[in-house]
Amino acid sequence: MPFLIVAFTECGLRLPLDPLFREVLHFYRLNPMQLTINSYRVIYGFIDLARQENLWITLAALLS
């Protein structure tokens, strides 16, 4: 399934996974393959925006 790998790479998924992303997966008790491509885009978009603004984002900020 090369299309799936390309889609994950285009949405910003990199290995090792970001700590906030791992925390979200752990909080919701999900396997990374249970998320849709749009979920990856939203979470990694949030992470990238926080990095650009030099902010420290936690799971509580993401949930509120």
Side-chain angles (χ1 to χ4, degrees):
M1 299 184 74
F3 299 115
L4 199 64
I5 294 170
V6 170
F8 284 127
T9 307
E10 286 178 353
C11 73
L13 179 65
R14 301 288 184 262
L15 297 174
L17 296 175
D18 188 88
L20 179 60
F21 186 74
R22 286 184 289 166
E23 193 174 345
V24 169
L25 290 176
H26 181 71
F27 179 78
Y28 288 110
R29 297 180 181 171
L30 293 173
N31 181 340
M33 295 307 294
Q34 290 178 296
L35 294 176
T36 63
I37 298 297
N38 288 338
S39 300
Y40 282 98
R41 287 181 179 149
V42 168
I43 295 169
Y44 272 99
F46 192 73
I47 291 168
D48 285 340
L49 185 62
R51 283 188 185 147
Q52 288 176 2
E53 299 295 324
N54 293 325
L55 298 174
W56 182 258
I57 303 297
T58 62
L59 181 63
L62 187 63
L63 294 176
S64 56

